[in-house]
Amino acid sequence: MAIRKQAVSGDLAQGKKLPPTRVFATELGVSRSTIVTAYEQLVAEGYLQSIPGSGYTVCPIGSVELNVSDHPALSKQPAETIASPKPFQAGQPDMRLFPHLQWAKTISRVCRTNPQSMLIGNTVQGSFALRTAVANHVSDWRGIAASPDQIFITAGSGDALELCIRTLSQPDDTIGLEDPGYLPLQSFVSVLGLNPAYLSIDKNGASLSSANKNCQLMVLTPSHQYPLGGAMSPSRRLEFIQWAETHNGWIIEDDYDSEFRYAGRPIPAMAGFDNLSRTIYIGSFSKIFSNSLRLGYVILPSPLVGAFKETLNRFGVRASYMPQQALAEFIETGEFYRHLRRMRRVYGERRNFLLDRLSLSFSDHGSFEDHQAGMQIAFHLKKTGNDVEVSNRANAEGLTTQPLSKFGSGNSALNGLLLGFCGFTEAELEEGLQTLERVLKRGC
């Protein structure tokens, strides 16, 4: 435990008096008997001594015959640092800017006042407090009117997508997928034995055709298409909603990074446009808050709530209860929105830097469209460069790039690189761009 380590290392000085058991128990949010047991164990091991009427103090280090170097578990460990990601990993938030102190204070407050909420849940839908916070958030930011009863907390957006597909499809069903689109989704559809019907992308977003109107389910990214960018036009959204109503189908709206729009407010969600009639909405905290929490949510039309509960009862809940109450309080106190505003400003500056450099130095190698949103840019290479070869060479030079052609079904003529910018400082972006420019000049 921490007291043992600090006594051995000298961080707790000889004779240092420890907090009274009752006070310490209150601070940690545990029972007094737990603290008494821990203190007495340390007395038995020779780290502490108990003086009647005076409490517990740290023993002289000489009374503990222990060579710390022989016990790695008790040795001082170097402080963990947040490794710098490699440009240009897409969808990577900058965790170096995470509000660690504010988050720690929130966790501490929940531990003191409501510790059971971090471990005990009585519903497969997740924390009611967090579902309420999500309902308020999507009402303000995405134009969706939903009650907490329509919301399920998930282990990220990937878990939400899996939950939706398991609940709403059967083997051999046909499911509409954007082409190009999200690679893990394509793999999961294949594993479940579903038949993908690919939806081509144009300037108005995903498009319907006679060949894919027999789908039972469509998965769309209407607010910011992945990976190309761009928003679906209102007329195209209406066309999909009319398809769902006519064919008794469902639309899954994957709204993975819509909060990051750098001109005006985020575009209203399709689920709000549809009033949650035939559209299921998926959101995530991985991009806007922390990719390590693995928390997301799905918002359902009311008639589907029972079926989704049955799926979770059958396959199990993956979302951890541990951080949910704390995240709810983080949102309610406004700390979440302060962090979000800061990230939009910082990411916007990094985006501008990347676009300026691409315009200035990379016009001979390719082009891009500025959609004023998202966490990555699709850089389309000229035909003289093959994106898989370019990506492999760039990654061998220490970068992290993805070829756009890998996101397609094989029927499209994609040739480019997906360049993320949010997780990197301007200096890191500049270094990465210099490396990428050398790679392109050698190969194009």
Side-chain angles (χ1 to χ4, degrees):
M1 61 168 51
I3 294 175
R4 181 190 292 117
K5 293 180 181 179
Q6 292 178 19
V8 172
S9 67
D11 290 340
L12 279 178
Q14 171 186 337
K16 172 73 174 179
K17 187 174 181 180
L18 296 185
T21 56
R22 194 179 305 279
V23 173
F24 205 16
T26 301
E27 290 179 353
L28 296 181
V30 299
S31 67
R32 181 170 177 265
S33 62
T34 300
I35 302 299
V36 171
T37 300
Y39 277 5
E40 289 299 327
Q41 178 64 32
L42 292 172
V43 169
E45 294 178 9
Y47 296 99
L48 302 182
Q49 57 184 349
S50 175
I51 303 175
S54 298
Y56 296 84
T57 58
V58 178
C59 289
I61 193 65
S63 67
V64 182
E65 297 180 1
L66 177 66
N67 185 343
V68 178
S69 63
D70 294 336
H71 296 75
L74 300 181
S75 302
K76 272 192 172 182
Q77 299 295 321
E80 292 188 8
T81 57
I82 301 175
S84 299
K86 298 178 181 179
F88 297 89
Q89 185 175 341
Q92 176 69 38
D94 194 340
M95 293 306 297
R96 295 167 294 185
L97 301 177
F98 185 81
H100 296 94
L101 179 59
Q102 294 84 350
W103 178 243
K105 288 180 178 178
T106 304
I107 291 284
S108 177
R109 183 168 59 252
V110 173
C111 286
R112 291 195 309 269
T113 61
N114 192 14
Q116 67 274 13
S117 68
M118 304 187 75
L119 296 172
I120 302 173
N122 58 8
T123 172
V124 295
Q125 290 186 245
S127 160
F128 182 80
L130 182 54
R131 287 186 282 127
T132 300
V134 167
N136 293 332
H137 173 71
V138 298
S139 175
D140 293 339
W141 282 76
R142 310 301 295 120
I144 300 173
S147 73
D149 292 336
Q150 295 172 265
I151 299 173
F152 286 69
I153 303 301
T154 65
S157 59
D159 182 40
L161 280 168
E162 181 176 337
L163 174 62
C164 292
I165 294 172
R166 284 192 184 278
T167 305
L168 299 174
S169 65
Q170 299 292 330
D172 291 328
D173 278 357
T174 302
I175 179 171
L177 303 179
E178 294 180 333
D179 183 20
Y182 185 49
L183 285 175
L185 175 61
Q186 297 175 21
S187 299
F188 181 68
V189 164
S190 176
V191 167
L192 287 186
L194 301 174
N195 302 309
Y198 290 106
L199 313 172
S200 62
I201 307 298
D202 59 27
K203 64 179 181 179
N204 292 312
S207 58
L208 274 170
S209 68
S210 57
N212 52 40
K213 286 187 177 181
N214 63 336
C215 297
Q216 288 76 36
L217 193 62
M218 299 276 190
V219 184
L220 305 173
T221 55
S223 293
H224 187 232
Q225 203 281 327
Y226 187 84
L228 298 181
M232 184 180 289
S233 67
S235 60
R236 192 66 59 79
R237 293 182 183 216
L238 181 59
E239 186 178 351
F240 274 99
I241 291 171
Q242 290 174 339
W243 160 84
E245 292 173 346
T246 302
H247 294 80
N248 201 32
W250 297 102
I251 299 168
I252 300 174
E253 178 179 11
D254 184 3
D255 208 26
Y256 63 99
D257 69 353
S258 60
E259 281 84 0
F260 293 122
R261 186 161 189 83
Y262 307 105
R265 289 179 61 84
I267 296 173
M270 179 182 282
F273 195 65
D274 178 42
N275 293 318
L276 285 173
S277 176
R278 306 299 306 183
T279 304
I280 300 154
Y281 180 88
I282 289 176
S284 174
F285 293 105
S286 296
K287 308 299 185 187
I288 58 178
F289 188 55
S290 170
N291 53 4
S292 61
L293 282 179
R294 305 302 303 167
L295 285 180
Y297 51 92
V298 56
I299 305 178
L300 306 171
S302 295
L304 293 179
V305 170
F308 273 66
K309 286 183 178 180
E310 290 179 8
T311 300
L312 287 173
N313 286 328
R314 179 182 176 188
F315 292 99
V317 177
R318 296 180 182 176
S320 171
Y321 258 83
M322 182 71 74
Q324 292 187 30
Q325 180 65 36
L327 181 54
E329 294 196 14
F330 205 76
I331 295 172
E332 291 167 359
T333 59
E335 291 291 351
F336 176 82
Y337 294 104
R338 279 187 281 274
H339 174 63
L340 176 55
R341 286 193 294 270
R342 182 190 182 202
M343 292 303 95
R344 289 181 71 186
R345 176 181 57 80
V346 172
Y347 293 170
E349 292 170 353
R350 295 175 180 181
R351 168 186 163 276
N352 290 337
F353 177 83
L354 175 62
L355 296 189
D356 288 345
R357 284 287 281 109
L358 290 176
S359 298
L360 180 66
S361 305
F362 288 78
S363 57
D364 290 340
H365 304 294
S367 61
F368 63 89
E369 292 186 43
D370 180 7
H371 298 291
Q372 299 183 330
M375 303 178 73
Q376 55 274 322
I377 294 293
F379 184 70
H380 300 274
L381 295 171
K382 292 186 175 180
K383 293 183 179 180
T384 51
N386 177 274
D387 62 356
V388 175
E389 294 178 1
V390 171
S391 179
N392 288 339
R393 292 200 303 269
N395 294 346
E397 295 288 335
L399 301 181
T400 301
T401 62
Q402 293 175 282
L404 286 176
S405 60
K406 292 293 186 180
F407 293 88
S409 65
N411 299 321
S412 55
L414 291 171
N415 184 45
L417 301 174
L418 195 62
L419 304 179
F421 55 84
C422 291
F424 321 101
T425 65
E426 291 184 10
E428 291 166 343
L429 288 171
E430 176 60 32
E431 183 177 356
L433 286 166
Q434 290 179 10
T435 300
L436 181 59
E437 189 172 14
R438 290 195 301 269
V439 169
L440 288 170
K441 284 181 177 179
R442 289 200 301 266
C444 297

